[in-house]
């Protein structure tokens, strides 16, 4: 897994005349994840058809009907199983990921689960084993592997332009001093709420993808905002088996934002600011079918070099569409799934170690 780069153009199935019939996809959940990320990406991926959307919320049903009139609207996941779908996507609150994905696999359907895969690594490993036993594709939606800035970091690491990387710094910081409400802010561990499991799932996955397994974890998980019960300002330090150290920050209380990436190597360094723009584009109603998708303005390019000689380095295009193109290829047996469930289990072990580290005030070895 170390020093690997997510593919940006996996082989995809086609719905062109004379090609195979589109793969039929059912989407469970039409909140932020379902409506903003999964539905638009599925609907614009060649070879996939968004066939059904499950939501019991009348307002969300209306929104889904307006945005995806070709999809049938269902009120419960149980209505999906007799439909003979090719793929089910679980985009519901974290506590429901395992029961819904388990039901789909037992119904004989391939599954994509939004991150985090599960609340515990044991649950995630059991689900992965079930998928293997059933011979069904199972993948986790780690879309941030296809952020343009992360693809750029991956290319720099792989090419050796930074030399031997000794420290990888990565941040998802925001200024949200007031609670928004919702299940993501619940403190019950079964909910897998808080920023550690929300944004931290992305940062840990990226670090493991770049530098391989972690052998130790140190974490500080803090609850800063009035009325909060789940972590909203946290830090993780990972030591990878190859000796690289990853320092990861997630915060909703950052009045000033640090760099998105700072990667320090023996020959050079790379620093970038700001977030990949694909999420904002999806929220604004744009899709990968629009011209200029995934492009980063030159004013937001990162800097590559040293204090003596640093230059703007172009950011590679972001490519969230590559995830579902990869799933289409996997369902046709042309490629492995774009994110392996065992990768997600490894990340969950890091998140669990982070909780133990913060609770006990010590480094935890894996």
């Amino acid at each position: 897994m170390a020093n690997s780069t997510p593919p940006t153009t996996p082989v995809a199935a086609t719905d062109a005349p004379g090609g195979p019939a589109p793969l039929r996809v059912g989407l469970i959940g039409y909140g932020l994840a379902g409506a903003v990320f999964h539905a638009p990406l599925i609907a614009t991926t060649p070879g996939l058809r968004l066939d059904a959307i499950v939501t019991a919320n009348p307002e969300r049903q209306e929104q889904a009907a307006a945005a995806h009139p070709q999809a049938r609207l269902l009120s419960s996941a149980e209505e999906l199983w007799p439909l003979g779908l090719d793929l089910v996507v679980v985009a519901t609150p974290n506590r429901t990921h395992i029961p819904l994905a388990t039901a789909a696999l037992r119904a004989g359907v391939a599954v994509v689960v939004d991150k985090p895969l599960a609340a515990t690594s044991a649950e995630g490993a059991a689900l992965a084993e079930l998928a293997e036993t059933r011979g069904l594709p199972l993948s986790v939606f780690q879309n941030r592997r296809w952020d343009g800035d992360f693809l750029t970091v991956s290319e720099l690491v792989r090419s050796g332009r930074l030399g031997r990387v000794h420290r990888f710094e990565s941040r998802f910081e925001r200024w949200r001093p007031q609670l928004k409400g919702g299940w993501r802010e619940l403190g019950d561990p079964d909910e897998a709420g808080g920023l550690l499991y929300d944004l931290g799932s992305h940062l840990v996955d990226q670090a493991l993808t770049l530098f391989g397994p972690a052998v130790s974890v140190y974490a500080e998980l803090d609850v800063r905002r009035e009325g909060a019960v789940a972590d909203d300002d946290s830090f993780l330090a990972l030591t990878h088996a190859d000796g690289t150290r990853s320092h990861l920050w997630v915060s909703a209380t950052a009045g000033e934002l640090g760099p998105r990436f700072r990667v320090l190597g023996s020959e050079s360094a790379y620093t970038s600011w700001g977030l990949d723009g694909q999420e904002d584009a999806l929220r604004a109603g744009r899709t990968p079918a629009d011209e200029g998708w995934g492009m980063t303005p030159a004013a937001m390019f990162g800097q590559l070099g040293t204090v003596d000689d640093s230059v703007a380095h172009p950011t590679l295009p972001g490519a969230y569409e590559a995830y579902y193109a990869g799933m289409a290829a996997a369902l046709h047996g042309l490629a492995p799934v774009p994110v392996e469930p065992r990768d997600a289990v490894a990340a969950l072990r890091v998140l669990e170690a982070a909780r133990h580290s913060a609770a006990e005030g010590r480094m935890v070895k894996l």
Side-chain angles (χ1 to χ4, degrees):
M1 185 162 59
N3 295 337
S4 62
T5 301
T8 56
T9 55
V11 177
T14 177
D15 51 6
L23 298 162
R24 297 165 56 227
V25 183
L27 172 62
I28 309 176
Y30 203 71
L32 171 64
V36 173
F37 288 94
H38 294 280
L41 295 177
I42 294 166
T44 55
T45 297
L48 298 183
R49 184 174 78 220
L50 183 56
D51 188 274
I53 297 172
V54 176
T55 177
N57 183 301
E59 182 179 351
R60 290 178 179 176
Q61 286 184 343
E62 290 182 9
Q63 295 169 351
H68 305 282
Q70 81 291 346
R72 70 188 90 189
L73 297 179
L74 307 175
S75 297
S76 69
E78 288 72 20
E79 298 174 70
L80 288 175
W81 314 143
L83 299 181
L85 298 172
D86 298 291
L87 175 67
V88 163
V89 176
V90 178
T92 53
N94 293 346
R95 70 179 182 279
T96 66
H97 286 182
I98 289 297
L100 288 172
T102 298
L105 291 171
R106 287 178 175 165
V109 188
V111 183
V112 164
V113 184
D114 208 323
K115 61 79 198 167
L117 173 62
T120 69
S121 61
E123 291 176 322
L127 188 71
E129 184 175 348
L130 176 62
E132 291 171 3
T133 300
R134 296 274 173 154
L136 292 167
L138 168 66
S139 186
V140 184
F141 187 64
Q142 292 287 356
N143 61 298
R144 294 289 183 175
R145 291 192 187 186
W146 288 272
D147 280 358
D149 48 13
F150 180 69
L151 291 172
T152 303
V153 169
S154 299
E155 191 278 329
L156 289 171
V157 171
R158 186 185 69 253
S159 69
R161 295 187 65 180
L162 301 174
R164 170 69 175 89
V165 174
H166 51 80
R167 186 188 301 169
F168 171 66
E169 298 179 4
S170 179
R171 294 172 173 81
F172 274 157
E173 295 179 327
R174 296 167 174 168
W175 175 236
R176 293 179 178 172
Q178 305 300 321
L179 297 175
K180 296 177 64 176
W183 62 266
R184 286 181 177 83
E185 293 176 349
L186 297 176
D188 186 341
D190 291 339
E191 298 286 349
L195 288 188
L196 176 67
Y197 275 73
D198 185 17
L199 301 179
S201 293
H202 286 308
L203 297 192
V204 169
D205 177 73
Q206 289 180 336
L208 299 183
T209 297
L210 282 175
F211 303 111
V215 295
S216 68
V217 180
Y218 168 78
E220 301 166 2
L221 309 181
D222 290 307
V223 180
R224 304 288 191 191
R225 295 173 295 179
E226 183 177 356
V229 293
D231 71 286
D232 55 13
D233 182 27
S234 298
F235 167 74
L236 282 72
L238 314 183
T239 301
H240 297 268
D242 71 351
T244 305
R245 297 188 187 273
S246 291
H247 290 175
L248 315 174
W249 289 261
V250 290
S251 180
T253 63
E256 290 286 347
L257 307 183
R260 171 68 184 92
F261 288 114
R262 192 169 77 125
V263 190
L264 306 180
S266 60
E267 302 296 330
S268 186
Y270 173 77
T271 307
S272 68
W273 296 263
L275 291 176
D276 175 275
Q278 292 175 95
E279 178 176 346
D280 286 345
L282 288 167
R283 286 176 179 267
R286 298 182 61 209
T287 74
D290 294 327
E291 184 178 356
W293 176 262
M295 301 302 294
T296 297
M300 291 186 64
F301 288 170
Q303 292 292 124
L304 175 66
T306 67
V307 292
D308 300 317
D309 183 17
S310 181
V311 297
H313 183 74
T315 302
L316 292 173
Y320 286 177
E321 68 275 14
Y323 180 84
Y324 275 110
M327 276 308 301
L331 290 169
H332 282 285
L334 302 175
V337 294
V339 178
E340 295 284 350
R342 297 295 181 183
D343 289 357
V345 173
L348 285 168
R349 291 194 178 106
V350 171
L351 298 180
E352 289 171 334
R355 278 185 166 174
H356 288 304
S357 171
E360 299 168 10
R362 65 179 182 87
M363 180 184 71
V364 173
K365 293 188 176 181
L366 297 175

